[in-house]
Amino acid sequence: MATNQKFSNGFRVNRTMLGTGVVLAGIGTVLSLAGTAIACATLASAGRDYVNRMETPPSEQARRAMQQAKAASMAGLEAWRTEGRTASAN
């Protein structure tokens, strides 16, 4: 009964099997984390390569989109103001 521990209600635990299960779960966790790290590094590398091969960098695309949004906003505001003036003149 060296490897079994008996509790008061008769529940017996095989400590060797329990220890083996804990060790295997730990090994599985380490392998899973290693696989996740490798997959993340691969995806990050692919993303960097994709961005480096772009004709226009994302920062330039964002700057252009912001300029277009500002211009559209100003055009809409001007149209609203113009419409307000013509409506009040009638």
Side-chain angles (χ1 to χ4, degrees):
M1 196 185 236
T3 60
N4 290 334
Q5 184 176 3
K6 185 176 182 181
F7 294 99
S8 62
N9 62 356
F11 183 73
R12 294 182 182 196
V13 176
N14 185 335
R15 296 170 89 191
T16 304
M17 293 293 284
L18 182 62
T20 302
V22 169
V23 168
L24 288 174
I27 290 170
T29 301
V30 169
L31 289 174
S32 176
L33 289 174
T36 301
I38 290 170
C40 288
T42 302
L43 289 172
S45 176
R48 275 192 306 272
D49 289 345
Y50 175 75
V51 169
N52 288 337
R53 284 185 279 123
M54 294 175 77
E55 289 181 18
T56 306
S59 59
E60 178 66 22
Q61 290 177 352
R63 188 183 63 75
R64 286 183 190 166
M66 189 60 151
Q67 286 177 341
Q68 290 171 347
K70 285 180 183 179
S73 175
M74 291 305 294
L77 179 62
E78 188 59 36
W80 179 73
R81 285 181 181 163
T82 304
E83 181 64 28
R85 278 189 227 129
T86 59
S88 63
N90 288 336

